Amino acid sequence: MDDVRLAERGVDADAKVKFECRGVQVHYGEKQALKDVDADILDRTVTAFIGPSGCGKSTFLRCLNRMNDTVASARVDGRILLEGEDIYDARVDPVQLRARVGMVFQKPNPFPKSIYDNVAYGPKIHGMARNKAELDEIVERALRGAALWNEVKDRLGETGTGLSGGQQQRLCIARAVATAPEVLLMDEPCSALDPIATAQVEELIDDLRESYSVVIVTHSMQQAARVSQRTAFFHLGNLVEYGDTEQIFTNPQDPRTESYISGKIG
Amino acid sequence: MSDVAPTPSRPTPARSLLVEDARTRRRNAAERRFRAYGVIAIAIAVAGLAFLLFTIFRDGSSAFVQTYVKIPVAIEASVVDPEGNGDPAEMQKILTMSYGRLLENALARHIARNDIQIEGLEDADLSTFFSSQARADLRRAVLADPSLVGTVVEHPVMTSSRVDGMFKGRVSRASAAIDAKTSAAQYDLAMALGARDDVRTTFNWNFIISTDSSDNRPEAAGLGVAIIGSFYMMLIVLVLAVPIGVATSIYLEEFAPQNRLTDVIEVNISNLAAVPSIVFGILGLAAFINFMGLPRSAPIVGGLVLTLMTLPTIIISTRAALKAVPPSIREAALGVGASRMQMVFHHVLPLAMPGILTGTILGLAQALGETAPLMLIGMVAFVTTYPAAPPEGFFDPASALPVQVFNWTQRADPAFFERASGAIIVLLAFLLAMNLLAIYLRRKFERRW
Amino acid sequence: MSPFWTIVAILALAALGYGLGRRRAMSLAQGNPRRLHSRPNYYGWNVALFAAVPALLLLVLWALALPLLPHGAASSRAAGILAIIIAVAGLAVAVRRTTPEFRARNAVEQMIRGLLILCSLIAIATTVGIVLSLVFESLHFFRLYPWQDFFFGTEWTPRFGGGSRLGILPLLWGTLYISFIALLVAVPVGLYAAIYMSEYATPRVRSLVKPAIEVLAGIPTIVYGLFALVTVGPLLRDWIAQPLGLGNSGSSVMTAGLVMGMMLIPFVSSLSDDIINAVPQTMRDGSLALGSTHSETIRQVVIPAALPGIVGAILLAASRAIGETMIVVMGAGAMATISGNPFEAMTTITVKIVSQLTGDNDFSSPETLVAFALGLTLFVITLGLNIFALYIVRKYREQYE
């Protein structure tokens, strides 16, 4: 694994547990997509989910902010605790949950609105700004946070769909950051981007770790190694191995992990 | 990456997920309201549909039954055969009016014999008790069989629309009292006969097969000519619109080069689909009747107008059906050396056939319900003779189902409204049958690639 | 010989030609089809088409040109005989041309291709026919009646004795007023129904409700007309108009507008349903993942994204409302008035086209010819709306393809 550059910083020793997942199972109709997953996801850490396609990594990610609720046939069992509270409790409103657990998708999906309105959308619906000045500030902070401010500050009124692919994805990240979430879920955020845009987004992910717990699903082992501190390997709906990125890539415990990262399966 | 913010927004202090905050509560209430609007909208649409169908069936279903009174009618020789020689030529001269007297006498005698006491019963109540159609029927029966003269026949006699309405509940005693064409006494008489079991209510075949009739006998008006007229027009549409529509679709979908002419044809078709139907009526009047000199009120003109109207529908659905045939089939056919023409006619067209059929049936259903253009080409005319068999019959005057409905709503006598609603039930039954056939075909031949 | 029997004779000749062509090809090839350029059937088809197509085309041309020729009856027989001669000649020529080397398949396919093109030109011919019939008679009308008075006149009082005033404005007012009320009913109901069905309804509910709403679209307008005349009109008059002192007429703008709105509901809802479904799911996911509720997603993301398409759908519905005839003939009344009271009877362009063109008409009087000018106006308005709407919808579709 010489070609893999590992993330420079390790896991914070005092990082708190953000998500505590116990016995998570997902069925789509009759088909079981995820089998009995136990995992803790840490705050202020980039956690990467890797594995061959159809292994359940995206399914698990979508459990964390209950996006699976939008799929009629999906059924989630087990317990997922966000800071000790079960997010699948009947009293939990997914709307409140998603305000705290943001998500960025595979394909950039800016709304057909102006750049400003794209970023201001979340803060507006959650009532985060008392006036225009505050909203302006939130938008600017989010765009800076997504490393997009300098590129778009003179054309905030233009439509978001007019940006380049990489800019669109960073706009989507800014949009997610603007609602001040605690966790940021990213579902293969670079798969639709060219290498330069990918590098920009990866750098951004590394910066985001300062403030958020970031979970990223990726099909690229190199990317997992570059940006994450913790890595989970999924295979056929099982969480096969989960540990520090360095350990997973240099000293995998499970033979399946070994063969995946050395390119034998996948 | 020079512009990374020094301090991105800090997550706000964690709120409990288990407690719904005030804002979320408000937002969820808005969510429920929004959903409710959707349910209300659907409820309005469905309720409107249900109310429409309910009123049509409430008003129209009684058109399918007809009330008859069964009394002995003496065919008095003094009235129908004054010469007493049984000469049919002489009897031909006796008008329908006189046969009315026979029925009147029969009713009067029936009342007297059975000791029915009605206050204020006048001669007019007796003469308007039966339909004027009943006299004509009686006359026809006697002329066909002169041996009836002098005998007593016991045919069911068709009642007038008012008396018919009394038995169907359409005419009440109160409304009869203020109606110039009937009276409370006639109502009492009708009820008395009803109580005596002299009344027969039968399925009204006449309504479906008879011709239209004049203003003063709504009880005899039928849909025969209209059904034949509509049927002829559907035949013409089927024979013309389907081949032309399918040919156009094949050309546009499989052969047409990308050029201006093709663009013009395409734009043309989508615009024709949205041209108001009445404009097609004007076209029919100006082009087919005034310019080409085809006869007014004829199914041929109606059929041509409806063909032009239906073409876009058929073309659009046929093209969709052709588009649904996967390219792999075309490539396979071309790959074994078929010409493009062979590919289309041997492979693509048979596979697209179910879709084409469904589209055609739906196009025909649409044409069957069209009214406005037919009014302009004279199909509102009052027609009491059946058109001949095709092809000559295509040029005879006829009516059409929907136009007949309109025609009846314009009559002075409100009894025609029952007929109009009944005619709509017939029209809807045809449409339902066509749609069910289309659904059946689609289900049966549905193919998934 | 009637045209019908002429056609039968020509088709019989074509069938005969099919047999002859096939037989001749086979005998020239000494019974071995492999010596022929094309399969034997094509030689048959070639002769059949040669016999039938030119003769039938002649008949059609003759039927179209008939009004321009003198002596209708005599030329009818002549045309029939000529057509049969042409059919026989075509048959003979094609049979003589049949040799094993003759590329029969190519010839047949060329002819079929020509026929296909001919058929697709009928659509253009229809439009040309509509435009010509409207324009010619309208010009005729404007020679008899000044166009300024037609387009700007506020009074509609046709008198067959002469001295009519034929101003279109009261009719236009009635048309637009009724269409406006119809859209007021159809747009919210249709749009909310579409939103509910595409965003909330379970597949089961959808499979029940969608066909029920589409039934509304399959009901002929005469049925709605009768409903307006017999049920809705009296209902509105007795329960609303009379108690409030707004009028005594069952036929009114409101009657026609409400019923027409009902007719347009499925039109708006099925078009909007398609358009809403075309909005990519990723857009909805993006909004939901930010913690917006379903309705916030619909109102602030899906609808703005679908807006151009929805506007197009509404314009198409408007064009339909303006051109609708039977509902207004039976529900709106015949009084040409300009008034704001929706419970008053008013009339529309289509009603007056019907009333001026049914019954006995005299095609030299302005009172009859005005119908063509009305038709032309209606055609231009609806065509403009349609072209604009189709343009918007097409642009919208391209955005998400």
Side-chain angles (χ1 to χ4, degrees), chain B residues 27 31 41 48-49 248 251 255 268 274 276 278 282-283 286 290-292 339 341-342 371 375 391 406 409 424 431, chain C residues 4 42 67 105 109 117 119-120 127 129 133 189 200 212 220 222 226 262 291 293-296 354 358 363 372 386:
Chain B
R27 288 170 60 203
E31 168 79 22
L49 173 67
T248 306
Y251 177 70
F255 296 104
N268 227 300
I278 186 126
I282 297 180
L283 170 72
N290 286 0
F291 181 69
M292 288 174 60
S339 68
M341 200 64 79
Q342 288 170 325
T371 321
M375 288 165 64
F406 176 73
T409 62
I424 284 201
L431 292 179
Chain C
F4 176 75
Y42 282 103
R105 181 173 60 71
E109 290 187 353
I117 294 177
C119 284
S120 49
T127 309
S133 49
V189 174
Y200 287 108
I222 180 81
L226 188 72
M262 202 175 137
T293 63
H294 207 143
S295 63
E296 286 163 348
V354 170
T358 44
F363 284 92
F372 291 91
N386 289 333

Side-chain angles (χ1 to χ4, degrees), chain A residues 44 83 85 92-93 95-96 100 124-127 141 144 147 150 181 200 203 207 211-212, chain B residues 1-5 7-11 14-21 23-24 27-28:
Chain A
R44 294 170 192 256
E83 301 200 322
E85 290 177 325
V92 171
D93 190 331
V95 166
Q96 271 175 299
R100 288 172 58 183
K124 268 188 196 157
I125 57 172
H126 294 298
R141 206 170 341 124
R144 281 189 191 281
N150 283 352
Q200 287 172 332
E203 202 167 332
D207 292 328
S211 329
Y212 310 96
Chain B
M1 304 302 268
S2 54
D3 60 352
V4 170
T7 48
S9 53
R10 276 303 311 146
R15 304 141 289 189
S16 171
L17 283 173
L18 302 178
V19 187
E20 198 177 38
D21 61 42
R23 187 179 173 84
T24 312
R27 288 170 60 203
N28 282 336

Side-chain angles (χ1 to χ4, degrees), chain B residues 86-412:
Chain B
D87 179 1
E90 297 271 342
M91 286 166 67
Q92 202 81 40
K93 288 184 191 141
I94 306 298
L95 296 177
T96 312
M97 206 63 139
S98 311
Y99 287 86
R101 202 152 354 113
L102 293 185
L103 294 172
E104 230 174 291
N105 293 346
L107 187 57
R109 226 171 292 135
H110 189 67
I111 293 170
R113 192 179 317 129
N114 294 294
D115 201 21
I116 299 170
Q117 298 291 338
I118 307 289
E119 218 168 294
L121 192 65
E122 291 168 21
D123 283 354
D125 293 329
L126 297 184
S127 62
T128 60
F129 197 83
F130 295 115
S131 164
S132 36
Q133 184 68 34
R135 310 168 192 170
D137 289 344
L138 187 62
R139 178 167 181 265
R140 206 177 306 129
V142 171
L143 290 180
D145 181 8
S147 69
L148 289 175
V149 175
T151 63
V152 175
V153 294
E154 200 157 337
H155 277 312
V157 185
M158 186 194 276
T159 56
S160 71
S161 70
R162 291 301 188 287
V163 176
D164 184 44
M166 292 168 190
F167 288 109
K168 288 171 178 172
R170 194 177 70 236
V171 178
S172 67
R173 193 172 192 279
S175 72
I178 54 172
D179 187 340
K181 288 190 173 176
T182 178
S183 66
Q186 197 176 40
Y187 183 87
D188 296 337
L189 174 59
M191 290 304 120
L193 291 176
R196 275 183 39 82
D197 206 23
D198 288 336
V199 173
R200 300 281 175 280
T201 304
T202 58
F203 185 77
N204 192 2
W205 280 111
N206 280 333
F207 177 57
I208 293 169
I209 56 176
S210 292
T211 62
D212 193 6
S213 68
S214 59
D215 258 2
N216 51 19
R217 40 179 166 168
E219 64 280 356
L223 285 170
V225 176
I227 291 177
I228 295 178
S230 279
F231 177 69
Y232 282 3
M233 286 191 279
M234 290 304 107
L235 271 186
I236 294 168
V237 173
L238 194 66
V239 167
L240 291 179
V242 175
I244 295 174
V246 172
T248 306
S249 316
I250 290 177
Y251 177 70
L252 290 178
E253 207 52 51
E254 308 284 343
F255 296 104
Q258 284 287 335
N259 60 22
R260 283 196 69 83
L261 179 67
T262 311
D263 279 353
V264 169
I265 296 176
E266 302 235 8
V267 170
N268 227 300
I269 289 169
S270 50
N271 281 324
L272 274 184
V275 168
S277 60
I278 186 126
V279 171
F280 282 93
I282 297 180
L283 170 72
L285 178 63
F288 297 132
I289 295 179
N290 286 0
F291 181 69
M292 288 174 60
L294 291 171
R296 286 174 71 89
S297 312
I300 181 78
V301 181
L304 287 172
V305 168
L306 293 179
T307 298
L308 296 181
M309 280 191 66
T310 319
L311 263 181
T313 315
I314 294 185
I315 292 173
I316 289 167
S317 59
T318 303
R319 291 187 68 181
L322 290 173
K323 257 196 202 106
V325 175
S328 58
I329 299 221
R330 292 156 218 263
E331 285 155 12
L334 293 177
V336 296
S339 68
R340 283 191 73 79
M341 200 64 79
Q342 288 170 325
M343 170 197 91
V344 171
F345 284 94
H346 295 173
H347 299 279
V348 177
L349 202 54
L351 288 175
M353 218 53 203
I356 296 174
L357 266 179
T358 324
T360 303
I361 294 171
L362 295 180
L364 280 180
Q366 187 194 332
L368 182 61
E370 236 1 290
T371 321
L374 301 183
M375 288 165 64
L376 296 195
I377 57 165
M379 299 206 91
V380 268
F382 176 63
V383 183
T384 50
T385 46
Y386 295 103
E392 285 78 17
F394 289 151
F395 296 84
D396 290 343
S399 185
L401 266 177
V403 186
Q404 188 70 64
V405 173
F406 176 73
N407 197 332
W408 282 340
T409 62
Q410 302 307 102
R411 302 285 179 87

Side-chain angles (χ1 to χ4, degrees), chain A residues 13-182:
Chain A
D14 58 345
K16 288 186 302 176
V17 172
K18 200 77 198 175
F19 272 114
E20 205 181 321
C21 310
R22 293 292 173 267
V24 179
Q25 301 199 23
V26 180
H27 290 83
Y28 291 119
E30 291 295 297
K31 201 174 142 276
Q32 187 163 19
L34 207 59
K35 297 167 193 161
D36 223 2
V37 170
D38 294 325
D40 287 344
I41 289 163
L42 303 180
D43 198 8
R44 294 170 192 256
T45 306
V46 178
T47 307
F49 292 173
I50 60 170
S53 42
C55 66
K57 55 189 192 299
S58 287
T59 301
F60 186 50
L61 188 79
R62 293 170 69 94
C63 286
L64 299 179
N65 71 343
R66 292 184 59 171
M67 279 304 280
N68 277 331
D69 291 13
T70 60
V71 182
S73 65
R75 199 180 80 238
V76 180
D77 303 305
R79 274 153 43 92
I80 300 178
L81 305 181
L82 174 61
E83 301 200 322
E85 290 177 325
D86 187 349
I87 65 170
Y88 281 91
D89 190 287
R91 285 169 291 173
V92 171
D93 190 331
V95 166
Q96 271 175 299
L97 169 69
R98 290 179 196 142
R100 288 172 58 183
V101 183
M103 188 162 188
V104 175
F105 295 85
Q106 191 167 358
K107 227 177 119 217
N109 55 352
F111 303 139
K113 299 166 177 279
S114 70
I115 294 171
Y116 183 92
D117 286 334
N118 259 285
V119 181
Y121 178 74
K124 268 188 196 157
I125 57 172
H126 294 298
M128 290 165 63
R130 276 187 298 272
N131 51 45
K132 180 83 171 75
E134 272 189 27
L135 193 60
D136 287 349
E137 197 190 315
I138 292 174
V139 169
E140 177 174 345
R141 206 170 341 124
L143 283 169
R144 281 189 191 281
L148 194 60
W149 175 252
N150 283 352
E151 289 161 63
V152 300
K153 65 182 175 201
D154 300 323
R155 44 178 177 142
L156 291 174
E158 286 176 29
T159 154
T161 43
L163 297 172
S164 74
Q167 287 174 324
Q168 285 192 13
Q169 193 62 302
R170 278 180 285 147
L171 178 62
C172 292
I173 293 174
R175 193 173 69 186
V177 166
T179 56
E182 298 158 39

Side-chain angles (χ1 to χ4, degrees), chain C residues 190 194 197 210 213-214 265-275:
Chain C
M197 282 198 299
K210 208 173 152 67
I213 291 184
E214 274 164 8
I265 289 172
F267 195 72
V268 174
S269 82
S270 67
L271 273 173
S272 308
D273 195 15
D274 289 351
I275 287 157

